[in-house]
Amino acid sequence: KDTTAEDYIYLIQFERFLERDDLVDIDLKAALERFPDDVSLLSFYGYLLLEKGDDKAAIAIFKGGIKRATTDDKRSELWGNIGDAHHNTGDDKRAFKAYKKALDYNPNNILVLNNYAYYMSLEGMELERALEMSYIAMSAEPNNASYVDSYAWIIHLLCRNDEAKRYMRQALTLSSQRDASLLCHYA
């Protein structure tokens, strides 16, 4: 009776760690039946769908979460997730619209700032603006190798290679594992 949606999320995360997909499916179904309007649970479910590559279903879940969200931070998080899902499908036009909506709700959403800036850089779009967004994300979390890498990559695209190398070395130092994209960017 006292079980919360958050309890289910912890349980499902543990089951995933144990690689018990059979239990994940059972407990996720039970959680959604008990807490169909819990925004954190819907966000978690959408994330699981993204991991499975079901971006279309994830987008639908995230949009349902937006309708139930009561804070701008949560709306921003969900729109950011929608942006990531659209990017996964190759639809950067929709991804960028979703990121803009996310930043309308929370202009300091660090994850969105980083992802939006990086994906803009891949398209060669508004590199100075992308650099500003990336700098905000990197400054907020200076020990995040991914954020430092994004910043370095954009600097490289702006032909400031000596500066980019310095940040790429920092990203490699911060990374706990040899990430292929970090090594590729450094090369």
Side-chain angles (χ1 to χ4, degrees):
K1 288 184 175 183
D2 295 335
T3 304
T4 66
E6 187 174 297
D7 294 332
Y8 273 106
I9 292 170
Y10 289 134
L11 174 65
I12 294 165
Q13 288 172 327
F14 185 65
E15 292 167 347
R16 290 177 69 229
F17 174 77
L18 296 175
E19 298 180 6
R20 292 293 311 267
D21 292 339
D22 56 326
L23 296 176
V24 168
D25 293 340
I26 291 167
D27 289 326
L28 181 59
K29 182 180 177 185
L32 291 168
E33 286 173 2
R34 281 192 70 188
F35 305 101
D37 294 324
D38 186 274
V39 177
S40 293
L41 181 61
L42 292 172
S43 184
F44 180 69
Y45 179 35
Y47 175 77
L48 293 176
L49 291 169
L50 284 179
E51 280 190 342
K52 290 181 179 181
D54 196 347
D55 299 300
K56 194 173 186 177
I59 290 168
I61 295 299
F62 292 138
K63 285 184 177 180
I66 289 169
K67 292 176 186 173
R68 294 167 176 86
T70 58
T71 68
D72 285 349
D73 283 347
K74 193 49 106 170
R75 289 181 193 96
S76 178
E77 174 191 327
L78 291 162
W79 276 113
N81 292 340
I82 290 169
D84 291 343
H86 281 305
H87 174 75
N88 291 346
T89 66
D91 190 347
D92 280 334
K93 184 176 179 179
R94 283 189 174 160
F96 294 162
K97 283 183 179 181
Y99 290 141
K100 286 177 185 174
K101 286 182 181 181
L103 293 175
D104 285 344
Y105 284 110
N106 179 1
N108 297 312
N109 183 324
I110 303 307
L111 180 60
V112 170
L113 286 166
N114 179 73
N115 291 357
Y116 190 11
Y118 182 70
Y119 298 144
M120 285 172 61
S121 76
L122 293 180
E123 297 296 319
M125 295 173 49
E126 303 180 56
L127 292 178
E128 290 293 340
R129 180 171 174 236
L131 184 66
E132 290 173 18
M133 292 190 303
S134 180
Y135 181 78
I136 293 168
M138 184 189 68
S139 296
E141 292 189 24
N143 293 323
N144 185 315
S146 179
Y147 294 177
V148 176
D149 170 64
S150 294
Y151 186 70
W153 181 248
I154 297 166
I155 290 172
H156 161 70
L157 293 175
L158 291 167
C159 300
R160 294 165 30 194
N161 290 325
D162 289 338
E163 186 181 359
K165 283 180 190 178
R166 189 173 77 242
Y167 283 104
M168 275 312 306
R169 284 188 202 112
Q170 180 182 346
L172 288 168
T173 300
L174 291 169
S175 179
S176 60
Q177 52 194 347
R178 289 291 176 220
D179 183 298
S181 66
L182 291 179
L183 294 170
C184 181
H185 285 171
Y186 185 66

